[in-house]
Amino acid sequence: MRFTSSSQTSSDGVTEQLFTIGEIPGVLWTPEHATGPRPLILVGHGGGQHKKAPGIPARAGRLVGEGGFAVAAIDAPNHGDRPKDEEFVRFVTENRGRLGAGEDTAAVVATLHELMAGQAVADWQAVITAVQELDHVGAGPVGYWGMSMGCGLGVPLLAAEPRVRAAVLGLLGVDGLAETAARVTVPVRFLLQWDDDLVPRAKGLALFDALGSAEKTLHANPGKHGEMPAFEIDSSLRFFARHLG
């Protein structure tokens, strides 16, 4: 794990550090002057976004400042500072064309997520291992927060990685995920926008239903895909504090 030269900044009690692990670019937020172990929360960004997309630093700041957690985000495969392969670009172009024509894009989105999932899971596993070797993070419990594409890549991670013990997911449908979701057993808080203009309500409910977790809670709010209310971060903080300590 290599921290980018002169990349460390601190504000409002939160320290931010850019890092790379092999070819994986990421960012780590921790309490300023942090010492000793603490829970780690991984944040997965949405499609077409990156590790410091609008909303992620602010969300990380609250998780760090109010919860005392460490928070890590990375650029997903084919996103942010990472190269884009031809197959990915082709599917993205097809998806945009279908959106513009008002067609159902669920199958294309599911294919895109499947294309990235194997690499994304391996990336997150490498990040957990490297970050937990830091003295001010340590080998504590791990949580995951991911909406939309962050959910699509998070479900396979939860099914494969036992170090992740709780997750906040949502804003995605069941397409391509039913079997994998059934292998998820950790506590999940699932967020759904009742008037989502990208994910049909029935498909979002079906993904929640498919999750194999014995403890799972559905939070449904009015509004479109990008209109998730800010107060959901409050409930997410309480959720992670309860399950991660």
Side-chain angles (χ1 to χ4, degrees), residues 68-89:
F69 303 114
V71 178
I74 61 173
D75 289 335
N78 294 289
H79 285 73
D81 295 326
R82 304 181 75 165
K84 298 176 178 59
D85 60 50
E86 292 183 5
E87 187 176 17
F88 175 82
V89 172

Side-chain angles (χ1 to χ4, degrees), residues 29-135:
W29 292 274
T30 52
E32 192 172 9
H33 309 305
T35 58
R38 66 197 62 254
L40 169 66
I41 298 177
L42 314 174
V43 175
H45 63 73
Q49 298 183 354
H50 54 84
K51 59 187 175 295
K52 291 185 68 176
I56 292 179
R59 187 176 303 117
R62 291 201 59 193
L63 290 167
V64 172
E66 298 177 36
F69 303 114
V71 178
I74 61 173
D75 289 335
N78 294 289
H79 285 73
D81 295 326
R82 304 181 75 165
K84 298 176 178 59
D85 60 50
E86 292 183 5
E87 187 176 17
F88 175 82
V89 172
R90 179 168 60 83
F91 278 116
V92 168
T93 302
E94 180 182 351
N95 188 54
R96 287 173 179 167
R98 290 195 177 196
L99 273 174
E103 299 176 3
D104 186 0
T105 63
V108 178
V109 170
T111 302
L112 273 169
H113 292 174
E114 184 179 1
L115 183 67
M116 294 183 284
Q119 184 62 57
V121 170
D123 289 348
W124 277 125
Q125 290 174 322
V127 168
I128 295 171
T129 298
V131 170
Q132 288 192 328
E133 290 178 352
L134 300 172
D135 290 340

Side-chain angles (χ1 to χ4, degrees), residues 59 145 147 168-171 191-193 219 221-233 236:
R59 187 176 303 117
W145 194 101
M147 299 293 117
V168 178
L169 303 171
L171 303 188
L191 308 184
L192 181 143
Q193 288 299 99
H219 279 206
N221 292 287
K224 296 183 178 180
H225 190 76
E227 297 176 349
M228 188 178 70
F231 61 71
E232 283 295 355
I233 190 61
S236 296

